[in-house]
Every structure is written in structure tokens, then in C-alpha cells.
Amino acid sequence: MSEADRTSYLRRRYGGSQSVMDRRERRFVGEMLARIGPVARVLDLPSGHGRFTPMLREAATSRLVCGDHNEKNIAALLAEEGDAGTPIDTVLVDLFERLPFDDGEFDLVFNFRFFHHIFDAARRRHVVAELSRVSGRHLVVSYYDDVFVHRTQKRLWKHRKHRRTLPMVPRPQVHAEFAAAGCRVVEDRAVLPVIHAHRILLLEKR
Ligand SMILES: C[S@@+](CC[C@H](N)C(=O)[O-])C[C@H]1O[C@@H](n2cnc3c(N)ncnc32)[C@H](O)[C@@H]1O
């Protein structure tokens, strides 16, 4: 999923019915950011084309690091972001490796729309452990819960580019994996309850 320009990527990816998801995701993230208040150092990983960069620049008071393993996506993000606001560092990072950051280096670690691309439980636990390690305080992480309506719709809907299955992890299991990595759940919110599997977690290091 790379496209040179952020605006056209977001228009294609979040046009039509997906615009409802996009609006609700931005709203809920905004409410979570307001709840935790200003944070000095923020990591957005994977940042993709920078859908949340403007919001995170506003939340971060001293530093925002945007990481992704696709350099075209990072280039698209930088092309749309000016110099005004909290400075951005960008970094090419593979989430399945050890992250190139110190323990507790960030006050907020933001990981959005990545978990439902992890097909292997051991890899998912590695990502949980690494995101938790580099956060000193807060995490916002999204994932797909195991939701019958959404799972069934995926199986039945026939579309050329459509995946029949996506990793959906039951909510208690996600909570248990973060608890094992030293995080407590502050809030866990469905983006579109009952219909869609996507949920947004606000976590805090214990
Ligand atoms: C669905 S996009 C989400 C981007 C952004 N968080 C958002 O919500 O708009 C997933 C991103 O994960 C990145 N990605 C995929 N595998 C990765 C990996 N192993 N390490 C780091 N980034 C990865 C892709 O390049 C892509 O930009």
C-alpha cells in the first residue's frame, strides 16, 4: 500500500463508506489524546502516509518520531508536512525487529491499524512487548476484535482485492498480552460497535 501522494491515497483509501470509519477513528483518537493531555515525546509507528501526523504534532510538545518500513509512505508524509509545529523525525523501522529506541523513550506510543496485518501470534506478542518497552507512560493501539458480523461479511463479500480473512484477536486475549507486557487498559473503544471489528485501546504502563 504505497502511493506517492498522501491526499490522493487518503481519498482513495478512506472515500465512500470508509469515510465513516476515518471520521470516527479521528474523533476517538482526538478524545483519547485530550484525555491524556500534552505529552513531550511521541512515537507514531507505523505512521503510513501520516493520517494522524497533524493531530500528533499538536499533542507532542517536544518531539514526534514517525516510523514505517515503507520509505515511499514516509516520503509522502513529509511532502505534506511543513516546518511549523512540533518537529518530526522520520525513521525506517521494521516492527518485527527490536525497535531502535531506548526503554521508556516516549511518553506516548501510537500504533494504528497495524495489528490486523499480523498473521502470527508470536510476532504479535513481539510487537506488544516492543511497543510497551519503548513507552514510558501511554500507548494508543488499535486492533481487530473477533466480531461475528465483520468476520462473516469478510468471508462472504466477493471483491477482487478483498482478503477473506484478517487476523481478529478476542479482546480478553489482547488485554492479557498487554498486561503481560506491563500495561493496564484505561479505555477500549469500538469504532463501529457490533458491525466492525476495529477497536482503539488506550493503555498506561503500570
Ligand atoms: C494500514 S497502514 C496504517 C498507517 C497509519 N497508522 C494509519 O492508520 O493511517 C499500515 C502501515 O504499516 C506499514 N508496515 C507494514 N509492515 C510493517 C513493518 N513490519 N514494520 C513497520 N511498518 C510496517 C505499512 O507500510 C503501512 O504504512
Side-chain angles (χ1 to χ4, degrees):
M1 56 151 274
S2 72
E3 196 160 327
D5 137 52
R6 174 160 97 191
T7 306
S8 57
Y9 165 74
L10 293 180
R11 200 175 294 130
R12 179 183 56 76
R13 175 66 184 81
Y14 291 102
S17 62
Q18 285 296 309
S19 65
V20 176
M21 292 300 290
D22 181 47
R23 265 202 311 279
R24 291 177 71 85
E25 288 172 7
R26 287 175 195 262
R27 174 152 71 85
F28 294 168
V29 166
E31 287 170 7
M32 285 180 179
L33 293 177
R35 180 172 181 169
I36 64 182
V39 273
R41 300 152 305 164
V42 177
L43 172 66
D44 179 12
L45 177 65
S47 52
H49 289 69
R51 184 160 64 110
F52 290 97
T53 305
M55 285 172 88
L56 295 174
R57 279 185 99 169
E58 210 175 303
T61 56
S62 75
R63 182 176 176 226
L64 171 62
V65 176
C66 295
D68 203 284
H69 82 156
N70 185 328
E71 57 188 321
K72 286 188 184 153
N73 293 357
I74 287 185
L77 179 161
L78 285 174
E80 302 249 350
E81 291 292 327
D83 292 334
T86 303
I88 307 173
D89 290 335
T90 57
V91 59
L92 277 179
V93 176
D94 184 350
L95 270 152
F96 297 135
E97 304 285 336
R98 184 179 165 85
L99 299 180
F101 307 114
D102 292 336
D103 295 2
E105 185 166 335
F106 298 95
D107 305 296
L108 168 65
V109 170
F110 185 82
N111 175 276
F112 213 84
R113 281 194 167 271
F114 183 69
F115 272 62
H116 59 280
H117 297 290
I118 311 176
F119 283 80
D120 174 271
R123 284 189 146 192
R124 186 181 64 246
R125 283 192 290 272
H126 167 85
V127 172
V128 168
E130 279 298 280
L131 295 176
S132 306
R133 179 183 69 76
V134 302
S135 173
R137 183 84 196 270
H138 306 284
L139 298 95
V140 170
V141 176
S142 81
Y143 69 99
Y144 274 19
D145 188 12
D146 191 6
V147 168
F148 174 78
V149 175
H150 195 178
R151 190 170 10 97
T152 309
Q153 176 262 335
K154 287 222 115 345
R155 255 191 225 131
L156 300 179
W157 194 40
K158 293 190 173 67
H159 185 278
R160 192 169 47 91
K161 288 188 180 165
H162 186 69
R163 264 187 196 281
R164 287 289 171 82
T165 57
L166 273 182
M168 293 182 175
V169 187
R171 220 178 324 164
Q173 192 175 332
V174 173
H175 291 194
E177 290 179 7
F178 274 102
C183 299
R184 88 175 174 89
V185 174
V186 177
E187 195 179 338
D188 184 342
R189 201 161 175 185
V191 177
L192 262 187
V194 184
I195 296 167
H196 201 284
H198 198 205
R199 300 186 71 90
I200 311 174
L201 263 176
L202 172 62
L203 301 139
E204 192 171 50
K205 286 289 282 289
R206 276 197 299 259

